Amino acid sequence: MLRIARRGIVVAACLALVAASSACSDEAPSSSGGGTAASVPGVTDTEILLGTHMPLTGPAAAGYSKIAPATKAYFEYVNANGGVNGRKIKYLVEDDGYNPANTQTLVRKLVLEDKVFAILNGLGTPTHTGVLDFLKTQKVPDLFVASGSRSWNQPEKYPTTFGFQPDYTVEGKIIADFVKKTYPGQVVCHMGQDDDFGRDSLAGVEQVLGADGVKEKQKYVTSNTNITPQIQAFKAAGCQVVISATIPAFTALSLGTAAKLGGFKPQWVPSSVGADYTTLSGLLGEGKVLLEGLVAPGYLPVSTDTSNPWVQLYQKVNKEYNGDAPFDNNIMFGMTVGYLTVQALLKAGKDLTREGLISAVESGGFKNAAVGPYRYSASDHSGIGGMQMGRVTAGVQAAFGPVVQTDDGAGPVQEYTEAPATPTGNGIPSA
């Protein structure tokens, strides 16, 4: 047990310091364009230029560094089959190290120097929050942010920004509903990242369980890998179920620290953000046995379900265009973002403009690998609204139970009964 804990601590100790800073921009907005492709930034007769910021290094790199390459691989697959209305997608990926200061610089570079048509799937709550005002001023489509913060769903304040995954309050409600029904009477506690991720998650949990229904609440920051005090507090409180809003490294560190303390084996229920089995087992090494019984929600098919047609499609693309990288839920995520982006570009039509792309996303109606419905409309930019629980059994992560949906308000958690979508014949959306 001690050996397991030491491995976890060694992994965690390698996490990089996350700087927190913000910057403002007073550059004039880029022209959003209209009419001919030449007048639209990032669009020519033969190409659509997109950009993103991702943690290819740093404390969030474990697992997440696989997302953008997977999206890019799907775009290359589409390009090899004719592109989008005759245009090929080029995807610029910048490494911000999960450092908000870096994000500011890199996003401005993508918009002002590279002149991308849109920012796609920028990852992280603390990182992406700092570029919202800049992207709004520049009138740049800010699509499918890789974070469940409710900040992305403010269409009146940030009309060009859209979320992708279920927001953390929706997820918190879904997790809490499951916990309430599955572990009645047990002592429930919450571990959250000290930003919108953790706060929104706890808000959702407390909507279902009530503030008194969460006995112990602890926070962590990614710049401090010593979470022993938090885990000791959970043990002292007699926590039997710990719901966590943690990135993968801190999910692994939580499990390893609890094992080191001894005599403390709660049921862990992490956010989907920090629950991918392949990523966690890589972080824990021999300590991956600690993942047995882990329960977490998901909003895409589990990557190990080889009978699923989306998994089959993405495995094919991964093998042909992504160097046959070890296949996991991060690759599922990245390729679904790619598929959704192609759907949106096709819906925007041949005469691409930034305004047209935003209107296309707001028109909604998208169906792809997501297990729940997309909620996009002119008044809702939040993304997927449904999830399904999953469990690790004998080293395999598999989904179980119904898909459920809810909102980030007072709406109930209820079953979503619509049949899942399947890929088109060649795995590329049609107009």
Side-chain angles (χ1 to χ4, degrees):
M1 195 69 72
L2 183 59
R3 182 181 179 185
I4 290 171
R6 285 173 178 166
R7 275 181 170 269
I9 290 172
V10 168
V11 169
C14 294
L15 301 177
L17 177 67
V18 176
S21 64
S22 60
C24 300
S25 173
D26 56 0
E27 292 93 342
S30 301
S31 170
S32 57
T36 63
S39 66
V40 182
V43 177
T44 69
D45 290 338
T46 59
E47 184 178 271
I48 302 168
L49 183 62
L50 306 175
T52 194
H53 63 90
M54 279 278 166
L56 304 181
T57 58
Y64 296 165
S65 61
K66 300 174 74 172
I67 292 172
T71 304
K72 192 170 188 176
Y74 184 76
F75 288 155
E76 290 176 359
Y77 173 66
V78 171
N79 291 342
N81 286 274
V84 178
N85 289 322
R87 296 183 176 104
K88 293 187 177 181
I89 302 172
K90 183 176 180 181
Y91 194 32
L92 302 181
V93 180
E94 297 286 358
D95 177 17
D96 66 6
Y98 205 60
N99 182 329
N102 293 342
T103 311
Q104 296 273 343
T105 300
L106 294 172
V107 169
R108 284 203 297 275
K109 172 186 174 293
L110 288 167
V111 172
L112 300 176
E113 297 179 25
D114 298 315
K115 300 190 182 303
V116 296
F117 177 53
I119 294 295
L120 173 66
N121 204 219
L123 188 144
T125 300
T127 49
H128 200 76
T129 300
V131 297
L132 289 178
D133 288 322
F134 170 74
L135 293 174
K136 173 186 175 180
T137 300
Q138 297 295 315
K139 300 182 180 179
V140 177
D142 181 20
L143 303 184
F144 317 141
V145 183
S147 156
S149 171
R150 288 185 291 178
S151 297
W152 326 139
N153 183 24
Q154 300 184 79
E156 292 185 0
K157 185 176 182 180
Y158 297 114
T160 68
T161 296
F162 296 82
F164 170 67
Q165 66 209 65
D167 75 50
Y168 299 133
T169 300
V170 165
E171 183 179 56
K173 288 175 65 177
I174 289 172
I175 290 175
D177 182 73
F178 170 79
V179 167
K180 184 176 182 178
K181 294 174 179 176
T182 309
Y183 310 108
Q186 295 200 19
V187 177
V188 179
C189 302
H190 186 273
M191 174 74 143
Q193 189 162 295
D194 192 13
D195 57 19
D196 285 353
F197 178 19
R199 288 188 289 272
D200 288 355
S201 168
L202 181 59
V205 170
E206 291 186 335
Q207 280 192 43
V208 174
L209 300 181
D212 294 337
V214 183
K215 184 174 182 179
E216 184 66 32
K217 305 161 192 175
Q218 291 290 324
K219 303 174 184 178
Y220 75 91
V221 294
T222 57
S223 58
N224 184 358
T225 60
N226 178 19
I227 60 168
T228 299
Q230 292 95 315
I231 304 302
Q232 286 175 329
F234 288 147
K235 181 179 180 180
C239 302
Q240 295 169 291
V241 179
V242 178
I243 298 170
S244 66
T246 46
I247 61 174
F250 280 82
T251 302
L253 185 57
S254 295
L255 271 63
T257 303
K260 178 184 177 182
L261 291 178
F264 181 51
K265 296 181 179 180
Q267 174 63 57
W268 295 96
V269 190
S271 160
S272 59
V273 166
D276 176 62
Y277 177 80
T278 302
T279 302
L280 293 174
S281 60
L283 287 166
L284 288 166
E286 293 178 8
K288 66 183 181 181
V289 295
L290 296 174
L291 297 171
E292 190 66 17
L294 186 82
V295 175
Y299 46 90
L300 299 172
V302 179
S303 62
T304 54
D305 182 7
T306 55
S307 67
N308 185 283
W310 293 101
V311 174
Q312 293 169 359
L313 168 64
Y314 294 162
Q315 285 181 329
K316 173 187 174 183
V317 175
N318 185 60
K319 184 175 182 179
E320 295 178 2
Y321 294 93
N322 198 31
D324 202 17
F327 195 76
D328 63 11
N329 293 330
N330 296 293
I331 291 177
M332 290 290 299
F333 182 106
M335 292 198 183
T336 302
V337 167
Y339 193 100
L340 176 61
T341 302
V342 173
Q343 288 180 303
L345 289 169
L346 286 168
K347 198 171 221 186
K350 294 181 180 180
D351 296 325
L352 280 179
T353 65
R354 285 172 166 173
E355 296 95 333
L357 179 59
I358 291 166
S359 295
V361 178
E362 288 184 334
S363 70
F366 301 104
K367 293 183 179 180
N368 48 45
V371 299
Y374 286 96
R375 296 161 55 186
Y376 298 130
S377 70
S379 60
D380 193 332
H381 286 193
S382 64
I384 302 168
M387 307 186 84
Q388 185 177 24
M389 298 305 295
R391 180 183 288 115
V392 175
T393 305
V396 176
Q397 193 168 39
F400 68 92
V403 175
V404 295
Q405 63 177 334
T406 189
D407 57 24
D408 60 5
V413 177
Q414 56 191 2
E415 189 169 344
Y416 176 70
T417 57
E418 190 168 329
T422 55
T424 54
N426 64 351
I428 299 173
S430 56

